[in-house]
Amino acid sequence: MVLSAKTFATVIGSGPNGLTAAIELASAGVKVTVHEDNHLIGGSARTAELTLPGFHHDICSAVHPLAVSSPCFERYPLANYGLEWIHPDAPLAHPFDDGTAVILERSLDQTCVHLGPDGEAWRRLFEPLVEAWPRLRHDLLGPPIHIPAAPLAFARFGLNAIRPARALAESQFREARTRALFAGIAAHSALPLEGRPSAAFGLVLGTAAHAVGWPIPKNGAQRITNALAGHLRALGGDIRTRSRITTLPDGGVTLCDVTPRQFLPLAAERLPASYRKLLAAYRYGPGVFKLDWALSAPIPWSAADCRRAGTVHVGGTLDEIADWETRLEGKPFVLVAQPTLFDPSRAPQARHIAWAYCHVRNASAVDLTDAIESQVERFAPGFRSRILGRHVLTAPALEYHNMNLVGGDINGGAMDLRQLRVRSTRLRYRTPLRDVYLCSSSTPPGGAVHGMCGYHAAQAALRRLPRLR
Ligand SMILES: Cc1cc2nc3c(=O)[nH]c(=O)nc-3n(C[C@H](O)[C@H](O)[C@H](O)COP(=O)(O)OP(=O)(O)OC[C@H]3O[C@@H](n4cnc5c(N)ncnc54)[C@H](O)[C@@H]3O)c2cc1C
């Protein structure tokens, strides 16, 4: 069976999910055109000289455990289009005020040794998930309803994932350092650590660190985008930049790499009132305040081991991290990436870049440059003296740069349980309009660069397309 030669598709938005949806459709013989509002493709997977000439910064995504876990990316010949993964010596470091740090190693055994009295508890929590990862990732990145590929591990994951990160950390670990390590990973959820299911993020990203690492693309995140676009073009797909779509096109199938906030005006009166109400009630999570630095030398961490890690979680203890993620006031919990320690191509010789962000209230224009730099300075005295240039993105500036980042929310919407239910039932790709699908990170399985929202949306569309016998 082949698709009707008349079948054509419009994809609105060229983020990783839009490009993946386009690849899936083009692979099935559909004539695809991707329309991108921006002058550059890639949505939140782009790289640019934000500070000084020769310093190549990731504007948004930087570290990609879920891209290397993605069942669809692994089927694409992305290496042929220039994508090369670099694995830092260790995925993550978490420094403390006493000048030491806990290192999350690729090796589970080595990590357990570092964690001393908590080593066995860490192993009990993670080992079954790490062993099951080759199958479990299909469940975690799968559509909401599916036959589990790793039923036991998925059930074990679910029991702990549903818990608040604080409760899980305090019940499993005795040491303040281990609790802090888990809290920092779980804080990627952008949820209060007392909220459900913040533990899920600690488990997924912690497991991925051991199973596949937290790699960075050589030359930056733009390489993921360029590789997806190269593959798409080879399949006959067309990409148009500076092409903002304001109303849904007539005819063909349409996949929208947009969040509910933008879908509402796109579809406007064509939508039934109940669905319009659902979209209007959709909630966004905290925003992000982002900083990029051009540096004269690496960040001078007091704990020298931090230089072995691609990512450093800066914020101290579980209580401190939890306090920031709940109140978004005080001392920020900061995620730092230091790519040039492992990829010198990103800066002039002997120079460095670093990437950092923290959560802020949605749409807050607050400038946390000083607060973030003070936190880095706390664990790396002398850091400020190495700054050659900096680039600041407040939450509204992020939205200006990419409409999908509503109020600076980088996850396509709030990740709390109530909204996850909405995302996995009412935003399951199909919309009430025939041949119109949502494919952004607001749909399951959610945020991060993995393309699986686009993949599942395209499969849903392909199931309904006319075929020739
Ligand atoms: C600061 C930041 C840090 C991040 N860090 C990481 C990380 O380290 N690792 C990771 O895996 N993920 C990270 N993420 C998340 C990740 O980048 C996103 O989850 C992912 O890019 C979502 O992909 P998407 O295709 O759904 O949407 P996006 O990447 O947001 O792309 C949507 C695209 O659609 C376009 N568009 C929207 N409306 C229209 C329209 N009407 N007409 C035409 N074009 C339109 C937009 O311009 C945009 O280019 C980060 C995100 C941000 C912002």
Side-chain angles (χ1 to χ4, degrees):
M1 277 206 316
V2 291
L3 290 170
S4 158
K6 286 188 196 145
T7 312
F8 67 96
T10 304
V11 175
I12 304 175
S14 70
N17 286 312
L19 291 175
T20 302
I23 287 170
E24 291 299 316
L25 294 168
S27 305
V30 178
K31 188 170 165 24
V32 184
T33 306
V34 178
H35 292 267
E36 170 53 51
D37 173 47
N38 208 291
H39 67 291
L40 289 174
I41 57 167
S44 290
R46 292 201 277 142
T47 307
E49 289 178 322
L50 296 176
T51 53
L52 298 169
F55 292 82
H56 300 273
H57 304 273
D58 285 330
I59 305 173
C60 299
S61 76
V63 181
H64 295 95
L66 295 183
V68 290
S69 300
S70 166
C72 65
F73 285 4
E74 81 182 359
R75 288 196 293 104
Y76 305 157
L78 299 180
N80 295 350
Y81 297 99
L83 179 59
E84 195 181 320
W85 290 110
I86 293 177
H87 284 272
D89 290 353
L92 172 68
H94 190 122
F96 297 98
D97 284 320
D98 64 0
T100 66
V102 167
I103 307 295
L104 184 72
E105 308 275 0
R106 266 296 284 279
S107 155
L108 182 66
D109 288 341
Q110 230 178 313
T111 306
C112 294
V113 171
H114 293 329
L115 294 177
D118 276 332
E120 278 316 301
W122 190 269
R123 185 187 299 285
R124 266 197 309 278
L125 190 60
F126 283 103
E127 193 167 53
L129 304 178
V130 173
E131 283 174 357
W133 187 253
R135 286 166 292 118
L136 181 62
R137 71 195 167 113
H138 291 273
D139 295 327
L140 300 173
L141 295 172
I145 299 171
H146 67 277
I147 298 169
L152 278 181
F154 194 35
R156 175 190 280 266
F157 166 80
L159 287 175
N160 283 323
I162 197 84
R163 301 179 67 185
R166 179 191 278 277
L168 186 65
E170 289 179 345
S171 66
Q172 301 289 316
F173 309 123
R174 279 180 286 156
E175 300 287 307
R177 296 160 72 84
T178 321
R179 291 176 176 181
L181 176 68
F182 187 79
I185 308 173
H188 287 245
S189 63
L191 292 169
L193 299 188
E194 292 76 16
R196 296 169 189 270
S198 52
F201 289 74
L203 292 172
V204 170
L205 294 175
T207 303
H210 296 306
V212 292
W214 287 10
I216 54 174
K218 186 171 181 192
N219 302 133
Q222 187 73 46
R223 283 302 175 110
I224 304 175
T225 294
N226 292 356
L228 289 169
H231 182 40
L232 173 62
R233 289 191 179 107
L235 293 167
D238 184 22
I239 306 176
R240 299 187 191 164
T241 54
R242 291 197 167 94
S243 179
R244 179 189 289 215
I245 302 293
T246 51
T247 50
L248 289 177
D250 291 324
V253 58
T254 305
L255 280 92
C256 305
D257 188 5
V258 306
T259 83
R261 177 78 56 90
Q262 295 100 41
F263 186 61
L264 199 46
L266 270 180
E269 303 307 315
R270 290 168 61 183
L271 290 169
S274 60
Y275 198 74
R276 284 211 301 269
K277 203 169 148 198
L278 174 87
L279 297 181
Y282 189 78
R283 289 174 295 110
Y284 290 85
V288 149
F289 175 84
K290 164 119 191 310
L291 271 181
D292 286 280
W293 297 288
L295 301 171
S296 62
I299 300 177
W301 302 108
S302 301
D305 268 358
C306 290
R307 287 180 63 163
R308 294 183 46 234
T311 303
V312 184
H313 283 164
V314 175
T317 63
L318 179 150
D319 281 341
E320 286 179 280
I321 298 168
D323 184 55
W324 175 262
E325 296 301 327
T326 301
R327 297 193 304 119
L328 300 174
E329 271 174 23
K331 289 185 186 171
F333 169 64
V334 187
L335 295 91
V336 176
Q338 37 185 16
T340 35
L341 289 177
F342 313 97
D343 178 8
S345 76
R346 305 274 300 270
Q349 202 181 7
R351 301 298 194 214
H352 287 268
I353 57 170
W355 163 112
Y357 76 76
C358 70
H359 296 125
V360 295
R361 292 206 170 81
N362 189 275
S364 164
V366 64
D367 184 334
L368 291 178
T369 302
D370 191 48
I372 286 184
E373 290 180 357
S374 297
Q375 282 288 67
V376 179
E377 188 80 28
R378 171 177 161 196
F379 300 100
F383 163 68
R384 278 198 175 98
S385 68
R386 298 185 175 195
I387 299 175
L388 301 172
R390 69 166 69 72
H391 182 265
V392 176
L393 277 168
T394 61
L398 276 165
E399 182 174 346
Y400 179 76
H401 142 86
N402 173 356
M403 286 184 279
N404 280 29
L405 305 174
V406 178
D409 177 343
I410 71 172
N411 283 323
M415 301 295 291
D416 56 67
L417 270 190
R418 191 157 55 94
Q419 178 134 297
L420 281 180
R421 259 197 302 276
V422 174
R423 287 167 82 138
S424 58
T425 54
R426 308 293 302 280
L427 296 180
R428 237 170 50 209
Y429 322 114
R430 279 175 65 174
T431 72
L433 304 178
R434 192 173 167 78
D435 295 330
V436 177
Y437 298 83
L438 283 171
C439 71
S440 74
S441 62
S442 299
T443 66
V449 175
H450 46 60
M452 292 304 289
C453 312
Y455 173 85
H456 296 306
Q459 300 311 319
L462 286 168
R463 282 195 289 276
R464 301 195 72 201
L465 283 182
R467 288 166 192 271
L468 298 175
R469 293 200 177 269

